[in-house]
Amino acid sequence: MTTHNNLINGSWTPGKTTSPNTNPSDLSDVIGQYAQGDASDVDAAVAAATAAFPAWSVSGIQARHDALDKIGNEILARKEELGDLLAREEGKTRPEAIGEVARAGQIFKFFAGECLRLAGESLPSVRPGIGVEITREPIGVVGLITPWNFPIAIPAWKIAPALAFGNCVVIKPADLVPGSAWALADIIHRSGIPAGVFNLVMGRGRIIGDALVQHPDVAAISFTGSVGVGRGIAEACVKSGKKVQLEMGGKNPQVVLDDADLAQAVELSAQSCFYSTGQRCTASSRLIVTDKIYPAFVQALQERMAKIKVGDARAAGTDIGPVVSQAQLEQDLSYVEIAKAEGAVLATGGSRIACHTGSGKEGFFMQPALLVDSTPQMRINREEVFGPVASVIRVQDYEEALAVANDTAFGLSAGIATTSLKYASHFKRHAQAGMVMVNLPTAGVDYHVPFGGRKGSSYGPREQGRYAQEFYTTVKTAYTLA
Ligand SMILES: NC(=O)C1=CN([C@@H]2O[C@H](COP(=O)(O)OP(=O)(O)OC[C@H]3O[C@@H](n4cnc5c(N)ncnc54)[C@H](O)[C@@H]3O)[C@@H](O)[C@H]2O)C=CC1
Ligand SMILES: O=Cc1ccc(S(=O)(=O)O)cc1
């Protein structure tokens, strides 16, 4: 079986050990062996990135544009093959996985353009005869720590702006899904960028991630993952003076008002709660439904859920693939039990099942769960599950719906289904979330505009679009005597 090594200073470098990458749709299918590095690999990667930084930070914008554009083109040309790998290692369906790969390619092409658009300002000084220029410069070596749920898109949306603005990169992908990140590293390696500018170190979060966060020569950390790990990283970065950007959890509300188009509200709720196995930080998990539409909505959503086919991510006809791991499956199932114990009623789903094709292959398949008669204080409505589990809260009117939607420690994405312009406008202004959706699923974002949240969901500057430069550059103000 092929062993996939780390990329350090332009060379494929074995780790101290290897780890198998297993298909969650078929536990007998081992995709490959992937290097497991240690702190000495992080030291070597950071040293290579530090050595490469002086030249890369002043490299021409045309060269940087061309490298990123080439990377984007190869990703797009190979989207079917890379999408198949992604579906095989992470468990989202093939169409979803191909879409994610295409997103990664588009992100590289967008940031190729951003290389050419980086601008400064020129102002007069308040002191006569002096000119002021404001420019942006790269920050240095950036450490990128990424999660398992978007194995290529999240690495892409951190790597592409980092390189575009002249930084050098050490990335640690999630150890559950190293295959897509390794394939991306291979494409970047062959794009012709100088050795050391981009480095990949695979391995355990507590070892590789922690070594990156603690490293004195790393100037900034961008992290996506769980709240607990994110907060620990933020504390360590503040202590050592590193710039830090965190994207963490969500408990995204989907409000459904009496005046909503019922079929549309049901479809967008099914999409954002259960598709991609509910494993999106933007997924809805709290359905906040006003009194009069509640019975029809719950009934119609259950009917829609009955049509969802759960099974092998790569099989034709699958709507929802497996949960990513045994640990995540146990977490999802345990939250169904916690909700029941607290008084919510399980309307449908919520147990481990076999693949809809009857393949007999063992995978982490779970029937999407809908819990009704839940209340805002229940744990199911306060803690992130990160699986195909949604709960419904009944409210009297829009005002109560908004209050319940905002009654959370998180603030990533929030949605409303309504035909009322008045309520849609009010919700856009008053939902305490970084992203608001009107008559659209809470999940489903563009790649060229800012992504991020408020409260416990995010920390630091926004990712994506032209706002990405806030994190990946530092501002310089220069005064010149005329
Ligand atoms: N907001 C999001 O997009 C995501 C949220 N999650 C949440 O996190 C939960 C657990 O998933 P995990 O993959 O275990 O998330 P995690 O936060 O443990 O892992 C995310 C990344 O951080 C690394 N990491 C782990 N411990 C670290 C440490 N001490 N220092 C530095 N890096 C470290 C991991 O190896 C991985 O690359 C999920 O159930 C879900 O609730 C998970 C994935 C994505
Ligand atoms: O973090 C990457 C990411 C998050 C969400 C989505 S979407 O909401 O499913 O579009 C895509 C990429």
Side-chain angles (χ1 to χ4, degrees):
M1 180 165 296
T2 323
T3 297
H4 300 80
N5 291 331
N6 288 322
L7 181 64
I8 299 175
N9 202 18
S11 299
W12 292 109
T13 309
K16 300 298 170 291
T17 57
T18 63
S19 168
N21 181 2
T22 306
N23 178 351
S25 299
D26 175 4
L27 305 187
S28 67
D29 175 25
V30 177
I31 298 160
Q33 292 288 336
Y34 289 78
Q36 291 270 305
D38 67 10
S40 70
D41 296 302
V42 173
D43 287 342
V46 174
T50 305
F53 180 67
W56 181 249
S57 63
V58 295
S59 57
I61 56 173
Q62 187 67 53
R64 292 215 290 265
H65 165 278
D66 293 350
L68 294 187
D69 197 55
K70 186 173 173 190
I71 294 164
N73 285 339
E74 179 168 345
I75 295 169
L76 289 172
R78 292 174 56 197
K79 68 179 182 182
E80 306 258 330
E81 168 214 342
L82 295 172
D84 191 64
L85 169 65
L86 199 162
R88 190 173 165 207
E89 72 171 350
E90 197 269 352
K92 62 184 63 172
T93 64
R94 239 179 140 265
E96 288 170 336
I98 292 168
E100 183 184 332
V101 173
R103 177 189 292 269
Q106 285 151 349
I107 288 168
F108 271 94
K109 291 180 74 71
F110 175 84
F111 282 105
E114 285 295 276
C115 296
L116 308 181
R117 286 188 286 264
L118 191 62
E121 285 182 75
S122 177
L123 291 79
S125 165
V126 291
R127 290 169 286 164
I130 293 177
V132 183
E133 289 157 280
I134 303 166
T135 52
R136 287 184 178 272
E137 296 184 358
I139 44 182
V141 176
V142 297
L144 310 179
I145 301 174
T146 58
W148 48 261
N149 61 332
F150 284 91
I152 195 165
I154 294 182
W157 84 23
K158 295 184 192 295
I159 297 166
L163 295 180
F165 299 127
N167 302 284
C168 292
V169 167
V170 179
I171 183 168
K172 190 222 98 61
D175 31 346
L176 264 179
V177 293
S180 301
W182 188 92
L184 176 59
D186 177 48
I187 294 171
I188 296 172
H189 175 52
R190 288 185 290 94
S191 72
I193 65 167
V197 168
F198 172 81
N199 303 273
L200 168 82
V201 184
M202 297 175 286
R204 305 308 298 254
R206 285 222 182 92
I207 297 171
I208 308 300
D210 198 50
L212 259 183
V213 170
Q214 301 297 341
H215 204 293
D217 296 334
V218 171
I221 296 285
S222 179
F223 166 87
T224 304
S226 63
V227 174
V229 172
R231 293 220 168 123
I233 288 176
E235 274 175 31
C237 288
V238 168
K239 269 194 196 133
S240 60
K242 287 183 178 55
K243 208 167 177 181
V244 63
Q245 174 182 61
L246 311 173
E247 289 302 339
M248 301 174 288
K251 195 70 207 170
N252 305 308
Q254 173 63 57
V255 170
V256 178
L257 296 186
D258 288 344
D259 65 18
D261 174 327
L262 180 63
Q264 182 186 61
V266 166
E267 186 55 32
L268 66 85
S269 300
Q271 289 289 338
S272 62
C273 292
F274 306 122
Y275 280 65
S276 294
T277 323
Q279 297 178 153
R280 295 185 283 194
C281 45
T282 47
S284 315
S285 51
R286 292 184 298 144
L287 299 168
I288 302 163
V289 184
T290 48
D291 199 48
K292 289 194 188 62
I293 201 172
Y294 184 98
F297 175 80
V298 168
Q299 174 70 30
L301 183 56
Q302 280 179 251
E303 286 164 12
R304 174 67 180 83
M305 289 172 70
K307 296 187 187 135
I308 293 175
K309 292 197 167 58
V310 180
D312 188 329
R314 295 189 296 160
T318 294
D319 297 311
I320 295 179
V323 173
V324 73
S325 66
Q326 175 81 39
Q328 188 65 49
L329 178 65
E330 282 166 13
Q331 176 166 308
D332 298 348
L333 296 173
S334 80
Y335 268 103
V336 173
E337 294 311 315
I338 291 166
K340 281 163 48 185
E342 288 190 333
V345 175
L346 181 63
T348 185
S351 44
R352 190 171 182 174
I353 51 170
C355 176
H356 73 95
T357 61
S359 68
K361 288 177 183 156
E362 195 193 347
F364 302 124
F365 305 114
M366 176 176 171
Q367 192 70 47
L370 186 69
L371 292 143
V372 297
D373 296 343
S374 75
T375 59
Q377 295 312 316
M378 290 177 179
R379 284 182 63 192
I380 193 70
N381 287 319
R382 306 209 76 80
E383 298 169 19
E384 184 176 55
V385 178
F386 223 65
V389 181
S391 42
V392 198
I393 303 170
R394 191 171 191 152
V395 291
Q396 286 307 311
D397 52 24
Y398 169 74
E399 284 70 26
E400 192 187 354
L402 177 65
V404 170
N406 286 337
D407 179 18
T408 171
F410 297 104
L412 186 59
S413 181
I416 187 164
T418 180
T419 50
S420 156
L421 180 60
K422 175 180 142 194
Y423 289 133
S425 306
H426 192 275
F427 191 77
K428 277 194 275 186
R429 173 66 187 83
H430 295 281
Q432 294 165 3
M435 297 174 292
V436 180
M437 311 291 184
V438 177
N439 294 324
L440 286 167
T442 55
V445 299
D446 286 3
Y447 65 85
H448 68 305
V449 290
F451 178 97
R454 298 183 183 179
K455 300 198 265 186
S457 289
S458 303
Y459 183 81
R462 287 282 186 271
E463 298 200 84
Q464 300 241 84
R466 66 186 167 82
Y467 287 72
Q469 64 175 265
E470 290 303 331
F471 182 71
Y472 290 102
T473 64
T474 183
V475 169
K476 181 177 275 174
T477 311
Y479 297 84
T480 308
L481 182 62

